[in-house]
Amino acid sequence: MRILVTGGSGYTGGRLVALARAAGHDVTGTSHSTRVEGLVPLDVRDRSAVDLLLDELRPDAVVHTSYVQSDWAVTALGAAHVAAAAARAGARLVHVSSDAVFKGRPAAYTEADLPEPVYPYGAAKAAAETAVLAVHPDAAVARTSLIIGDDASKQHQLALDMAAGRVDGVLFTDHVRCPVAVDDLAAALLELAEGDFRGILNVAGPEAISRHELGVRVAAKHGIPAERVPGGSALERGVISQAEVRLDTALAASVLRTRLRGVTEILA
């Protein structure tokens, strides 16, 4: 199977490229901001470049992992360009989205819940979902959460940097998410690329945890005491972002062979 992975230089994309190759697939990964040996350069903001690459590769499936939190064009328009090109090429499409599309609430979000973003990145991700499903109705949209697993994770890096005093600030005690292991996410994305599931699927861990508690557990893996990890309330600091965002993964558990582990097991 010929698979194209956009964002192959990223944390998730890189794991997916390696996993798909190990499974015997013919895999092409792309990179934009970082030049990496073995990856093809691609700016997803350039629609003609996206069209040309898919015309050349004729992939059976495309997994779109590319995004830049601060760049609407990469996150939203790039997704639209990739979706349109995949639809025109007749390729299967798996698009990686985020729990950032929601505003937050105590109850878990299911796949039926509509996006209600509260800040620009979430709005870009919501726009990307809308574009993908409009131009490629057979696509799978995987909504995920904080991606962890080892110290290449941004979540791990942030916790360790704060504990060491290299970065100022706090990890929020009132921000709750459902972290997922990068290897579990990569396996789920490959499974979706190989299959025929269509529509939105929550692909996250089953265990909800605050950002601060996550940081404490990451630090503990390095023998760093909990009191070294700064914590505080986002609400008290006037931060405009989602508080509690839990993803209901019951559907994923029923349709995926991949088991999505909780943070306690991942960081054991």
Side-chain angles (χ1 to χ4, degrees), residues 97-117:
S97 189
S98 168
D99 59 7
V101 301
F102 296 119
K103 68 178 182 181
R105 68 187 187 192
Y109 287 95
T110 72
E111 288 79 2
D113 286 302
L114 297 177
E116 294 180 294

Side-chain angles (χ1 to χ4, degrees), residues 131-209:
V132 165
L133 294 174
V135 303
H136 200 315
D138 290 331
V141 174
R143 283 180 181 156
T144 193
S145 189
L146 303 182
I147 304 171
I148 63 172
D150 56 38
D151 291 346
S153 162
K154 293 179 181 178
Q155 310 306 324
H156 287 237
Q157 292 169 5
L158 181 60
L160 295 174
D161 284 344
M162 284 191 171
R166 293 187 293 266
V167 173
D168 293 330
V170 299
L171 293 174
F172 296 137
T173 55
D174 49 2
H175 274 197
V176 175
R177 302 290 186 271
C178 295
V180 64
V182 65
D183 291 330
D184 296 351
L185 178 57
L189 294 175
L190 179 57
E191 187 178 341
L192 289 171
E194 295 169 333
D196 58 5
F197 179 89
R198 57 180 291 179
I200 295 169
L201 186 68
N202 291 338
V203 183
E207 186 177 352
I209 189 172

Side-chain angles (χ1 to χ4, degrees), residues 159 171 211-221 224-227 229:
L171 293 174
R211 287 182 180 270
H212 179 255
E213 179 58 25
L214 175 61
V216 167
R217 296 197 191 185
V218 168
K221 293 282 289 183
I224 301 170
E227 58 267 23
V229 183

